[in-house]
Amino acid sequence: SLYILALKNEPRFSDYMTAQMKKSEIIIDNAMKNGEIKKGISPSFIQRVLLDIWGRTSSLGSNNDDAKLKDLLEDIKTFKQLVKGEI
């Protein structure tokens, strides 16, 4: 994917993404402390899922956009319910 190529070949992008991941760790930790995220869910799991969702947005703009967008929105909704402890 374009994301992986950029990480491997563009040091500025890699540095930027590393900084963003560190920021996301702080945000996730704070959300856990405030009870906004269900206890017992690994912060690294949350980061990986968010990266997956973000990476999948790059495929929008190609064929079958409606189906891809529907799947992506459904996954976001389910992920939110999971981390909030609603399911």
Side-chain angles (χ1 to χ4, degrees):
S1 80
L2 182 59
Y3 174 75
I4 298 299
L5 286 172
L7 278 178
K8 289 181 179 181
N9 297 308
E10 180 52 60
R12 292 175 298 171
F13 182 71
S14 180
D15 293 344
Y16 172 79
M17 288 308 298
T18 298
Q20 295 308 307
M21 293 304 291
K22 288 179 182 177
K23 289 178 188 177
S24 74
E25 288 174 14
I26 294 168
I27 293 167
I28 292 166
D29 287 343
N30 286 337
M32 290 182 140
K33 289 176 188 170
N34 293 331
E36 298 173 72
I37 295 176
K38 179 181 173 182
K39 291 185 182 198
I41 297 179
S42 163
S44 62
F45 167 75
I46 294 170
Q47 284 183 313
R48 287 190 308 271
V49 172
L50 291 174
L51 273 175
D52 173 67
I53 289 169
W54 182 72
R56 288 169 51 201
T57 62
S58 67
S59 69
L60 298 176
S62 60
N63 295 333
N64 299 319
D65 276 351
D66 290 342
K68 289 177 185 178
L69 182 58
K70 181 181 175 193
D71 289 344
L72 186 59
L73 293 173
E74 184 62 32
D75 290 349
I76 291 169
K77 178 182 172 186
T78 302
F79 178 66
K80 177 184 176 261
Q81 292 172 330
L82 175 66
V83 299
K84 300 287 272 176
E86 298 170 356
I87 57 173

